[in-house]
Amino acid sequence: LKKYDVRESLSLLQVPVKIIAGENDVRDVEKAKLMHEKTRNSDMSIIGNSGHMPFIDQPDDFMSLVSRFMRVVLSPDKT
């Protein structure tokens, strides 16, 4: 996977994208910011007091972000 680089293709995505990183995972926070900049229809969140696995470190915060994102994406009222 280290040799598989899709960064240049991120701008081609035409679907909503949620990017989540843990604030203490410095390397992934920088990668998340880069992905967010290159992905036009993206939303990024940094979860506090978490590392590489925010879904384990802060499961309630993680699920809240995912649930909120899915409600917006699946909302019939979105334009």
Side-chain angles (χ1 to χ4, degrees), residues 1-76:
L1 287 175
K2 285 184 179 183
K3 294 180 182 178
Y4 190 69
D5 187 355
V6 298
R7 287 177 287 187
E8 295 306 316
S9 300
L10 292 174
S11 64
L12 301 175
L13 291 173
Q14 297 181 15
V15 296
V17 175
K18 180 66 176 176
I19 300 167
I20 301 173
E23 75 172 339
N24 297 325
D25 191 351
V26 177
R27 187 173 177 196
D28 278 352
V29 170
E30 293 307 313
K31 286 181 182 178
K33 289 178 182 177
L34 176 71
M35 289 171 46
H36 180 54
E37 290 170 8
K38 292 189 175 279
T39 308
R40 73 180 87 161
N41 195 13
S42 68
D43 179 59
M44 185 177 88
S45 297
I46 307 297
I47 296 180
N49 199 27
S50 64
H52 185 66
M53 296 185 282
F55 51 92
I56 292 175
D57 297 334
Q58 298 294 336
D60 292 339
D61 292 344
F62 181 84
M63 288 308 300
S64 176
L65 290 169
V66 172
S67 296
R68 192 173 326 137
F69 177 72
M70 293 305 297
R71 276 194 304 275
V72 169
V73 168
L74 298 175
S75 170

